[in-house]
């Protein structure tokens, strides 16, 4: 009989199940930390995530449909979060000249201040990661990027602005080298990006 990763007899015999269980614990830590930070500012976790995203991304990504894809949510649910942020005077909308239903979302000064402060919610996770040996960090980055790429390709998660699915990326099997054709330079494993401003989606067959 097929057993799940949370079946302890399977988990204790298979390293991949223990890794999955460990990733689940880390996702719980993210949820707890984000929740604590949200409570401080009387916001919901998704409202905090949206503020942080808006503070770091260019205007073409600061639209409802892009945000809905980014956060794997429906447009109405995302619109509700934006409405709540507008009522709290943390964002403002700039309507497009040629389409009065479409708008770009900007942070207000107050919204930017909160985004800057709350973006430190993950510090408790960065600390133990920063204490790993450099080669373990490198292996971890590569492994996580591979898992994320797989989940993206199989449709579990949407948009991923990372090297592995960027049109400018190539990998030489022979030399085991990563290369960015936009920056026109080889990329060391430690330079592979997970959220690149220059990312362009590769063509999907
Ligand atoms: S443009 Fe950015 S995401 Fe694309 S390969 Fe270069 S560094 Fe990676």
């Amino acid at each position: 009989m097929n057993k799940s990763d949370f079946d302890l007899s399977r988990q204790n015999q298979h390293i991949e199940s223990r890794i999955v269980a460990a990733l689940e614990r880390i996702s719980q830590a993210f949820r707890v930390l984000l929740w604590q930070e949200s409570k401080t500012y009387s916001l919901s976790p998704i409202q905090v995530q949206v503020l942080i995203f808006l503070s770091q991304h260019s205007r073409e990504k600061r639209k409802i449909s892009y945000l809905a894809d980014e956060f794997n949510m429906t447009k109405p649910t995302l619109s509700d979060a934006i409405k709540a942020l507008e009522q709290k005077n943390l964002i403002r909308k700039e309507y497009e000249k040629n389409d009065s239903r479409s708008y770009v979302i900007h942070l207000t000064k107050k919204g930017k201040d909160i985004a800057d402060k709350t973006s430190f919610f993950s510090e408790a996770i960065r600390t133990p990661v920063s204490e790993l040996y450099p080669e373990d960090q490198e292996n971890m980055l590569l492994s996580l990027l591979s898992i994320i790429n797989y989940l993206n390709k199989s449709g579990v998660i949407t948009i991923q602005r990372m090297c592995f699915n960027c049109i400018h990326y190539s990998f030489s099997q022979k030399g085991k080298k990563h290369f960015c054709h936009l920056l026109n330079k080889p990329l060391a494993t430690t330079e592979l990006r997970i959220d690149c401003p220059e990312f362009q989606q590769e063509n999907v067959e």
Side-chain angles (χ1 to χ4, degrees), residues 64-78:
I64 287 287
S65 47
Y66 195 97
L67 290 169
D69 282 349
E70 173 74 22
F71 293 103
N72 296 280
M73 297 177 97
T74 63
K75 278 205 241 178
T77 309
L78 211 284

Side-chain angles (χ1 to χ4, degrees), residues 110-134:
K110 189 175 161 197
K112 175 83 171 69
D113 286 349
I114 292 182
D116 289 346
K117 287 181 185 134
T118 53
S119 66
F120 285 93
F121 83 93
S122 61
E123 259 197 325
I125 297 172
R126 183 171 64 186
T127 302
V129 173
S130 69
E131 288 170 359
L132 295 172
Y133 289 116

Side-chain angles (χ1 to χ4, degrees), residues 161-164 166-170 179-183 187 191-193 195-200:
R161 295 170 294 274
M162 56 195 273
C163 294
F164 287 176
C166 175
I167 203 166
H168 303 300
Y169 171 81
S170 69
F179 197 89
C180 172
H181 296 274
L182 184 76
L183 303 174
L187 298 172
E191 293 175 306
L192 290 171
R193 296 182 182 180
D195 190 354
C196 176
E198 279 83 40
F199 167 85
Q200 234 183 308

Side-chain angles (χ1 to χ4, degrees), residues 16-97:
E16 69 272 18
S17 290
R18 268 172 278 145
I19 291 171
V20 170
L23 288 171
E24 205 266 344
R25 299 280 168 87
I26 291 172
S27 84
Q28 268 184 36
F30 272 104
R31 277 201 299 276
V32 168
L33 292 167
L34 186 58
W35 182 249
Q36 285 169 351
E37 200 64 33
S38 311
K39 270 199 306 191
T40 309
Y41 294 93
S42 305
L43 296 169
S44 69
I46 184 62
Q47 288 168 7
V48 169
Q49 286 177 295
V50 168
L51 288 179
I52 296 171
F53 183 88
L54 293 174
S55 74
Q56 296 297 326
H57 293 88
S58 53
R59 57 182 288 132
E60 73 277 4
K61 299 186 181 82
R62 301 202 308 262
K63 296 184 177 181
I64 287 287
S65 47
Y66 195 97
L67 290 169
D69 282 349
E70 173 74 22
F71 293 103
N72 296 280
M73 297 177 97
T74 63
K75 278 205 241 178
T77 309
L78 211 284
S79 298
D80 286 346
I82 293 297
K83 201 167 154 193
L85 290 172
E86 190 179 27
Q87 282 165 353
K88 291 173 184 174
N89 193 27
L90 300 177
I91 60 114
R92 68 178 174 82
K93 297 172 182 168
E94 176 195 343
Y95 284 90
E96 307 273 17
K97 288 195 182 75

Side-chain angles (χ1 to χ4, degrees), residues 4 12 16 24 56 85 102 136 138 143 171 176 194:
S4 85
N12 292 330
E16 69 272 18
E24 205 266 344
Q56 296 297 326
L85 290 172
S102 173
D136 290 340
E138 192 173 318
S143 305
F171 180 69
K176 301 279 178 213
I194 188 155

